[in-house]
Amino acid sequence: MRILARLLYLGVINLGRNRWAQFFTLSTVAFTAFMAGIFLLLLYNVQQAARSTQEDIQFQVYWDPAYPMEEIREQWKEISSWDIGSMETFTPEEALEDLAGSIAGDLDADSLAGDNPLPATALIEFSLQGQDTQDRALLMRSRLMELPGVQRVSYNPLQVDLARTWVRVSSGIFWPLIGLMLVITGLVVANTLKLNQMQRREEVEILALVGASSSYIQFPLLVSGALQGLVGGVLSLGLLRLLHLALEDVLYFPPLWLKIEFLPLSYILAIPGVLTLVGLLSSFLAVNNRLR
Amino acid sequence: MRILARLLYLGVINLGRNRWAQFFTLSTVAFTAFMAGIFLLLLYNVQQAARSTQEDIQFQVYWDPAYPMEEIREQWKEISSWDIGSMETFTPEEALEDLAGSIAGDLDADSLAGDNPLPATALIEFSLQGQDTQDRALLMRSRLMELPGVQRVSYNPLQVDLARTWVRVSSGIFWPLIGLMLVITGLVVANTLKLNQMQRREEVEILALVGASSSYIQFPLLVSGALQGLVGGVLSLGLLRLLHLALEDVLYFPPLWLKIEFLPLSYILAIPGVLTLVGLLSSFLAVNNRLR
Amino acid sequence: MIQVKHLSHSFGRYWALKNISFSLDKGDFLFLTGPSGAGKTTLMRVLHGSLAVQRGVASIAGFDLKNLPEKRLYLLRREVAIVFQDFKILPDQSVWDNVALPLQVRGMVSSQVHKRVRAVLRSLRLDSKSRYLCREISGGEQQRVAVARAVVINPKVLLADEPTGNLDRKLSLQLMEVFRQFHVHGTTVVLATHNEELIRSLPGAKILCLKDGSAVECSWGPEGEGA
Amino acid sequence: MIQVKHLSHSFGRYWALKNISFSLDKGDFLFLTGPSGAGKTTLMRVLHGSLAVQRGVASIAGFDLKNLPEKRLYLLRREVAIVFQDFKILPDQSVWDNVALPLQVRGMVSSQVHKRVRAVLRSLRLDSKSRYLCREISGGEQQRVAVARAVVINPKVLLADEPTGNLDRKLSLQLMEVFRQFHVHGTTVVLATHNEELIRSLPGAKILCLKDGSAVECSWGPEGEGA
Ligand SMILES: Nc1ncnc2c1ncn2[C@@H]1O[C@H](COP(=O)(O)OP(=O)(O)OP(=O)(O)O)[C@@H](O)[C@H]1O
Ligand SMILES: Nc1ncnc2c1ncn2[C@@H]1O[C@H](COP(=O)(O)OP(=O)(O)OP(=O)(O)O)[C@@H](O)[C@H]1O
Ligand SMILES: [Mg+2]
Ligand SMILES: [Mg+2]
């Protein structure tokens, strides 16, 4: 027990020796983990976005250009009270402006305004979560069709297809890439820790010469390796959170309204956890090689 | 001259000393650069995709459900001979199937088939490159409208908006993220090289004691630092290319037809170039500190 | 306490020890001497388990060196202490920490450690330097730290490789007195040295002269050889 | 060649050298002696430019140590060679490479380097070990490598800190003969040693006895002191 406490203590104060090497090691670990973290954050958010797209279906509703706009506005109010996700509306003028803007910034929209060929439209998002999704989708469709003045209700086959595609692909890319990241991070961290521990070769050798058992030698090295992994992981999470705070709102404006989400708790715990394990493991290997 | 050659030679054979430390350093450098490279590859491709989306405009054409399908097929043939980018067509049955598939896999499409409310549609992509894009877009629109049986021609405001958004955002995200990557990679590589060179402290000290001038001491260290950066960078490019070969076609199927492109030459040259510089710089700093 | 029979050791093609045999009982004192490169250090390292027994047989403090598994080597090193020719002390730790190390490694309580280290440092005139880092002290002081680290565990066998090379005559004789005390109290001592005065100062001791790895007649010695 | 006036040096609050003065001409030979911890190594390091001059004045081979900028230190070290008490040789390089190092550092052509290194290694009986790595050779051999590395440049001033600590009597006297040859050919030699026999072997030499950092009467010496 006293020995165990002493070994733990040694593992911690080892970190205080050769501060510069320690500092370089720790920052390498933290930065590598940070880089992997950015990657994870990115993939996670794309995955989230794809999943939410997949679960939504969009109806695009077109009104008869001849139908009075006031009535259409009434209908818009009514529709927004339905059980839908969201609605975006375009008057013919807005649509024209949008078209003009999308083709070229300086197209003279006024020249077309008198003879606007565009109808009023609405983009309705509708969540497909829950049990009776099929019925609800069909019901929604017929309800929209029955509104007076509605000419057509279209849906988004391409977008739905894209989302389905992403899900199909992501299992082929998402997890392999995460795995690759993990492997690389592990290798970098392990290498760095080994480089660091090479500086302690002399100490390890002398400990063995004065009669230290291999567990006495290894345990503090394992403890410092694990600590370095842990501290590096926590530091990288801090950096990641800072980056996230800076980027969180960068996509949060119309028409995206995309908040970049931070990693979920399980990932947050996994990062320092994995690094701690890597630290342990690489120390273990480094020391084991040394003793032979 | 003889001294210079000798110093270069020393810089190279230095790499042969302490092979393990060298190996760990090199693989850390290579893997870190690899990770940054993956990132670069990803951002570059997203950027490319966004740029090409921005340059395209999509028209969605809806035919009157009552209009005979044979005529529509004739029109499809005609349209495809126009100066357009691409066209995707959906018969009412295909559209229904698609809808059914997107809502739920096992929806009974046959029950709706008799009374199919969906029209025939076509998705036409049209490139906005070149001079007279505005006129061509308007011309295309009116040509489509004039086809008999065409009920509506819609365009893709949301998608165009997304692309414009991406471009707006990417200058706020793309370059900062690349910059961040660069800084992190630089720090990691510099740290690792420093950790490595710490192992040479003794040698440097002894060189100074036997009368080596500081340039005699520094030059080989700079050479090996630069070489390590260079070799690490080239290795990382190799790894990246392997990854690219594995992933190239993973998105190349309908309806995406997205080939992941490899980095352009300027990036390819920049990776080892930057790493070489980082190697030089970190060696320079490491040695300069040492001598004082 | 030490048995060595037909021991040979080679580094590559170079035979550093050739067919050495001798044996020591508890409390014996052996001087190991011979010109530079004769194989003294090599023999010490074999006895301490740092070099494997390649040919012949060797045992020390009850451990058969030929068949000692690596895992149990530390047990041998708790009985057999060594003073290295190149000290092998930790330069970035204090004199005190270096000397306390073998005791801490054994899990001794710190009050005991304190008492033992203090006594040993005093006997070697190192008390005033105990807080210095080992790279900050003089060559002779470092050598005494190496001796202190070896004797602090009260070993059954004490191997000392040229422990007076950096010491002046007075300190050498004082150190010799420390070794003699251990010898008198039953520790088996093997001392490698070039210093003939040291050897003459202990007439009762055995002497083993090496030359190019072989045991030879001691050319100058008035005393007999070790058998 | 060497002037030292009122030189003092402290490590923190500890004064390792106190008010030392002496001067040596070209070709002089000075023995530096005194008990362990007296300050011999500290004085050597000041003369070699590794420790700054804190108080007093010191110059060597025409370099004023007090005002020598760091950038020009290597010029001093091309004239003043030193044998370190702890050797400071590169353990992972061969004997040959270690000895050739100071010549290569000066940009000497390799045929010249070859000739010089060979001659020096032979004079120190190291020819058979020239391809060995320095960590593979015995303590005495390492010490001779350190000496070889110092004398190979034919220095104006040769500082040798306890260069015979790991050598047997015969080798010590041979080494002394090497130093004497340099001395005769005009090299100024400063030799720190505990070995009284060595000191007696060169009756014409000056002697400086240190104790606790101060110059003192040599308690045992038949010869006069250095002034
Ligand atoms: N690891 C090694 N590899 C090759 N040769 C070695 C190795 N270690 C020692 N030797 C050689 O073995 C011989 C004996 O070395 P050893 O260190 O035992 O000598 P020694 O008697 O201790 O000499 P000294 O008095 O100089 O310390 C020497 O010639 C040395 O060069
Ligand atoms: N870097 C340092 N920091 C603190 N004290 C030091 C340092 N270097 C030397 N000393 C102290 O200065 C004193 C003189 O040391 P020095 O090495 O000059 O002695 P020395 O005469 O060479 O002794 P020896 O014969 O044992 O080699 C010693 O007491 C030593 O502890
Ligand atoms: Mg030896
Ligand atoms: Mg000294």
Side-chain angles (χ1 to χ4, degrees):
Chain A
M1 207 53 234
R2 206 181 50 249
I3 290 209
L4 200 75
R6 184 172 165 76
L7 291 179
L8 263 171
Y9 166 76
L10 281 179
V12 175
I13 63 160
N14 269 345
L15 291 178
R17 296 234 172 86
N18 204 347
R19 303 247 169 92
W20 278 108
Q22 233 59 257
F23 171 78
F24 291 136
T25 307
L26 211 62
S27 56
T28 301
V29 172
F31 279 125
T32 312
F34 179 35
M35 195 135 93
I38 296 179
F39 212 81
L40 215 62
L41 195 65
L42 213 92
L43 287 180
Y44 176 72
N45 273 284
V46 172
Q47 172 91 336
Q48 284 299 99
R51 190 170 289 156
S52 76
T53 307
Q54 187 202 10
E55 284 160 352
D56 288 350
I57 188 161
Q58 281 177 359
F59 289 99
Q60 198 147 9
V61 187
Y62 300 89
W63 276 263
D64 190 332
Y67 200 73
M69 198 59 219
E70 294 71 41
E71 304 261 342
I72 296 177
R73 286 193 206 277
E74 285 298 312
Q75 290 181 4
W76 285 353
K77 267 197 206 124
E78 191 196 330
I79 295 171
S80 64
S81 72
W82 295 357
D83 176 26
I84 57 170
S86 70
M87 179 168 69
E88 209 176 346
T89 58
F90 298 86
T91 63
E93 291 72 34
E94 284 166 353
L96 180 67
E97 219 170 287
D98 222 78
L99 174 63
S102 76
I103 297 180
D106 55 355
L107 176 76
D108 189 10
D110 294 341
S111 71
L112 284 166
D115 176 29
N116 191 341
L118 298 177
T121 52
L123 192 68
I124 295 170
E125 238 175 75
F126 173 65
S127 167
L128 278 187
Q129 280 168 321
Q131 281 300 315
D132 47 356
T133 48
Q134 310 151 11
D135 302 344
R136 279 167 60 213
L138 289 175
L139 185 69
M140 174 72 65
R141 189 157 196 286
S142 58
R143 274 177 85 179
L144 286 171
M145 292 286 272
E146 279 159 19
L147 287 173
V150 166
Q151 215 173 34
R152 278 199 27 69
V153 176
S154 85
Y155 65 100
N156 53 347
L158 188 68
Q159 197 173 342
V160 171
D161 235 28
L162 263 170
R164 268 190 300 162
T165 302
W166 169 258
V167 172
R168 197 155 95 211
V169 165
S170 74
S171 60
I173 286 194
F174 186 71
W175 288 113
L177 270 189
I178 295 225
L180 189 64
M181 277 298 112
L182 212 82
V183 169
I184 295 179
T185 310
L187 283 176
V188 170
V189 170
N191 281 351
T192 312
L193 288 180
K194 252 184 225 170
L195 266 181
N196 185 10
Q197 295 201 336
M198 274 188 176
Q199 320 228 1
R200 289 239 282 275
R201 211 176 337 198
E202 191 188 7
E203 191 181 334
V204 166
E205 190 192 323
I206 287 177
L207 276 173
L209 289 175
V210 301
S213 62
S214 50
S215 57
Y216 187 96
I217 297 175
Q218 289 185 11
F219 195 79
L221 289 176
L222 292 184
V223 169
S224 19
L227 271 178
Q228 260 162 338
L230 183 66
V231 174
V234 169
L235 282 178
S236 76
L237 275 181
L239 288 173
L240 202 61
R241 182 77 183 125
L242 284 181
L243 183 73
H244 176 243
L245 285 178
L247 292 188
E248 191 168 31
D249 290 338
V250 89
L251 295 178
Y252 195 64
F253 52 73
L256 285 173
W257 300 115
L258 224 68
K259 271 224 190 247
I260 296 180
E261 286 178 52
F262 199 56
L263 298 175
L265 191 66
S266 58
Y267 287 44
I268 294 182
L269 293 181
I271 289 181
V274 166
L275 286 177
T276 307
L277 277 180
V278 168
L280 260 180
L281 201 73
S282 69
S283 306
F284 183 75
L285 292 177
V287 176
N288 247 27
N289 276 344
R290 192 81 33 78
L291 288 183
R292 228 171 282 135
Chain B
M1 206 56 234
R2 208 181 47 250
I3 289 209
L4 199 75
R6 182 171 165 76
L7 290 180
L8 264 171
Y9 166 76
L10 281 180
V12 175
I13 63 159
N14 269 345
L15 290 178
R17 296 234 171 84
N18 204 346
R19 304 250 168 89
W20 277 109
Q22 233 59 258
F23 171 79
F24 291 136
T25 307
L26 212 62
S27 56
T28 301
V29 171
F31 280 126
T32 311
F34 180 36
M35 196 136 92
I38 297 179
F39 212 81
L40 217 61
L41 194 66
L42 213 92
L43 287 180
Y44 176 73
N45 273 284
V46 171
Q47 173 91 335
Q48 283 299 99
R51 190 170 289 157
S52 75
T53 307
Q54 187 201 9
E55 286 159 352
D56 290 350
I57 188 162
Q58 281 178 0
F59 288 98
Q60 197 146 10
V61 188
Y62 299 91
W63 278 264
D64 190 332
Y67 199 73
M69 198 59 217
E70 293 72 38
E71 306 258 343
I72 295 177
R73 285 193 209 276
E74 286 296 313
Q75 291 181 3
W76 285 352
K77 267 196 206 127
E78 191 195 330
I79 295 172
S80 63
S81 71
W82 295 358
D83 176 26
I84 57 169
S86 70
M87 178 169 70
E88 209 176 346
T89 58
F90 298 86
T91 63
E93 291 73 32
E94 284 167 352
L96 180 67
E97 217 170 287
D98 222 79
L99 175 63
S102 77
I103 297 179
D106 54 353
L107 178 73
D108 189 9
D110 295 340
S111 72
L112 284 166
D115 176 30
N116 190 342
L118 297 178
T121 53
L123 192 67
I124 296 171
E125 237 173 74
F126 173 66
S127 167
L128 279 187
Q129 280 168 322
Q131 281 299 316
D132 49 356
T133 48
Q134 308 152 13
D135 300 343
R136 278 167 61 212
L138 288 175
L139 186 70
M140 173 71 66
R141 190 157 196 285
S142 56
R143 274 178 84 178
L144 287 171
M145 292 287 273
E146 279 160 17
L147 288 172
V150 166
Q151 214 174 34
R152 278 198 29 69
V153 176
S154 85
Y155 64 101
N156 53 346
L158 189 67
Q159 197 173 342
V160 171
D161 237 28
L162 262 170
R164 270 190 300 161
T165 302
W166 169 258
V167 172
R168 197 156 96 212
V169 164
S170 73
S171 60
I173 285 193
F174 186 71
W175 288 113
L177 269 188
I178 295 226
L180 189 64
M181 277 299 113
L182 212 83
V183 169
I184 295 179
T185 310
L187 283 176
V188 170
V189 170
N191 281 352
T192 312
L193 289 180
K194 252 184 226 170
L195 266 181
N196 185 11
Q197 296 200 336
M198 275 189 175
Q199 320 229 0
R200 290 239 281 275
R201 211 176 337 200
E202 192 187 7
E203 192 181 333
V204 166
E205 190 192 324
I206 286 177
L207 276 173
L209 289 175
V210 301
S213 63
S214 50
S215 58
Y216 188 97
I217 298 175
Q218 290 185 12
F219 196 79
L221 290 176
L222 292 184
V223 170
S224 18
L227 272 178
Q228 259 161 340
L230 183 66
V231 174
V234 170
L235 281 179
S236 76
L237 275 180
L239 288 173
L240 201 61
R241 181 79 183 124
L242 284 181
L243 183 74
H244 175 243
L245 285 179
L247 291 188
E248 192 169 29
D249 289 337
V250 89
L251 295 178
Y252 194 64
F253 53 75
L256 285 174
W257 301 115
L258 225 67
K259 270 223 190 248
I260 296 180
E261 288 178 51
F262 198 56
L263 298 176
L265 191 66
S266 57
Y267 287 46
I268 293 182
L269 293 181
I271 288 180
V274 166
L275 286 177
T276 307
L277 277 181
V278 168
L280 261 180
L281 201 73
S282 69
S283 306
F284 182 75
L285 292 178
V287 176
N288 245 26
N289 275 344
R290 193 81 32 80
L291 289 182
R292 229 170 282 135
Chain C
M1 191 53 69
I2 302 181
Q3 269 86 35
V4 172
K5 271 203 196 105
H6 306 304
L7 182 72
S8 296
H9 195 92
S10 72
F11 297 106
R13 286 202 322 258
Y14 182 85
W15 288 91
L17 288 178
K18 301 173 194 156
N19 197 21
I20 305 293
S21 303
F22 67 94
S23 85
L24 297 177
D25 290 334
K26 184 168 184 306
D28 276 358
F29 200 118
L30 175 73
F31 282 109
L32 204 58
T33 189
S36 178
K40 303 179 291 294
T41 300
T42 306
L43 179 55
M44 292 282 195
R45 290 172 67 198
V46 171
L47 292 178
H48 194 241
S50 304
L51 290 175
V53 174
Q54 294 175 341
R55 291 206 195 161
V57 180
S59 75
I60 187 166
F63 294 91
D64 175 6
L65 286 166
K66 185 115 192 180
N67 301 311
L68 188 67
E70 185 132 16
K71 287 231 150 215
R72 301 191 60 234
L73 191 56
Y74 77 97
L75 293 173
L76 177 151
R77 289 176 175 169
R78 294 187 174 188
E79 309 291 350
V80 180
I82 186 164
V83 181
F84 288 97
Q85 191 169 12
D86 54 355
F87 313 161
K88 291 215 201 298
I89 52 181
L90 289 166
D92 293 327
Q93 296 196 17
S94 71
V95 169
W96 181 280
D97 288 344
N98 265 281
V99 176
L101 199 58
L103 300 177
Q104 287 165 343
V105 151
R106 281 158 180 75
M108 188 182 272
V109 294
S110 62
S111 61
Q112 280 276 350
V113 170
H114 211 77
K115 232 171 71 186
R116 289 277 281 277
V117 172
R118 199 141 110 191
V120 167
L121 287 183
R122 183 151 39 210
S123 76
L124 289 164
R125 313 273 179 282
L126 282 171
D127 13 7
S128 68
K129 298 285 172 190
S130 71
R131 293 280 143 229
Y132 280 61
L133 298 187
C134 280
R135 64 177 149 73
E136 292 178 349
I137 59 177
S138 81
E141 286 157 0
Q142 288 179 12
Q143 192 155 41
R144 282 174 283 156
V145 171
V147 172
R149 190 185 60 188
V151 300
V152 75
I153 63 167
N154 228 325
K156 281 194 193 157
V157 180
L158 179 60
L159 309 172
D161 195 355
E162 198 80 57
T164 62
N166 291 281
L167 301 182
D168 53 284
R169 186 160 172 268
K170 201 173 128 198
L171 267 174
S172 297
L173 293 176
Q174 278 173 3
L175 190 62
M176 193 58 212
E177 180 55 26
V178 172
F179 288 141
R180 207 185 60 80
Q181 285 298 328
F182 274 93
H183 155 59
V184 167
H185 288 93
T187 296
T188 306
V189 181
V190 180
L191 200 161
T193 187
H194 293 297
N195 189 331
E196 295 170 18
E197 185 180 6
L198 231 53
I199 299 179
R200 283 201 207 90
S201 73
L202 199 74
K206 296 183 174 183
I207 303 182
L208 176 60
C209 291
L210 296 179
K211 188 160 194 289
D212 290 336
S214 307
V216 295
E217 280 297 311
C218 294
S219 54
W220 50 270
E223 273 89 4
E225 256 172 89
Chain D
M1 193 53 67
I2 302 181
Q3 270 86 35
V4 172
K5 271 204 197 103
H6 306 304
L7 182 72
S8 296
H9 195 93
S10 71
F11 298 105
R13 285 202 323 256
Y14 183 84
W15 287 91
L17 288 178
K18 299 173 195 158
N19 198 21
I20 305 292
S21 304
F22 67 96
S23 84
L24 297 177
D25 290 333
K26 185 169 184 302
D28 276 358
F29 201 119
L30 174 72
F31 282 110
L32 204 57
T33 188
S36 177
K40 301 178 293 294
T41 300
T42 305
L43 179 55
M44 293 283 196
R45 290 173 67 197
V46 171
L47 292 178
H48 195 240
S50 304
L51 290 176
V53 175
Q54 295 175 341
R55 290 206 195 162
V57 181
S59 76
I60 187 165
F63 294 90
D64 175 5
L65 285 166
K66 186 115 193 180
N67 300 312
L68 187 66
E70 185 132 16
K71 286 230 151 215
R72 302 190 60 236
L73 192 55
Y74 77 97
L75 293 173
L76 179 150
R77 288 176 176 170
R78 293 187 174 189
E79 308 291 349
V80 180
I82 186 164
V83 181
F84 288 97
Q85 190 168 12
D86 54 355
F87 314 159
K88 291 213 200 299
I89 53 181
L90 290 166
D92 293 327
Q93 298 197 17
S94 71
V95 169
W96 182 280
D97 288 345
N98 266 281
V99 177
L101 198 59
L103 299 178
Q104 287 165 343
V105 151
R106 282 159 180 73
M108 189 181 272
V109 293
S110 63
S111 62
Q112 279 277 351
V113 170
H114 212 78
K115 230 171 73 186
R116 290 276 281 277
V117 171
R118 199 139 110 193
V120 167
L121 287 183
R122 184 150 40 210
S123 76
L124 289 165
R125 313 271 180 283
L126 282 171
D127 12 7
S128 67
K129 296 287 172 189
S130 72
R131 294 279 143 229
Y132 280 60
L133 299 187
C134 280
R135 63 176 149 74
E136 292 178 350
I137 59 177
S138 81
E141 287 157 358
Q142 288 179 12
Q143 192 154 43
R144 280 175 284 156
V145 171
V147 173
R149 190 184 62 187
V151 301
V152 75
I153 63 168
N154 228 325
K156 283 195 192 156
V157 180
L158 179 60
L159 310 171
D161 196 355
E162 198 80 57
T164 62
N166 290 281
L167 300 182
D168 52 284
R169 187 161 171 267
K170 202 173 127 199
L171 266 174
S172 297
L173 293 177
Q174 278 173 2
L175 190 63
M176 194 59 211
E177 181 54 27
V178 171
F179 288 141
R180 209 185 59 81
Q181 285 298 328
F182 275 93
H183 155 58
V184 167
H185 288 92
T187 297
T188 307
V189 180
V190 179
L191 201 161
T193 186
H194 293 298
N195 188 332
E196 296 170 16
E197 186 180 5
L198 230 53
I199 300 179
R200 283 199 207 92
S201 73
L202 200 75
K206 296 183 175 183
I207 302 181
L208 176 60
C209 291
L210 296 178
K211 186 160 195 288
D212 290 336
S214 307
V216 295
E217 280 298 311
C218 294
S219 53
W220 50 270
E223 273 90 4
E225 259 172 89

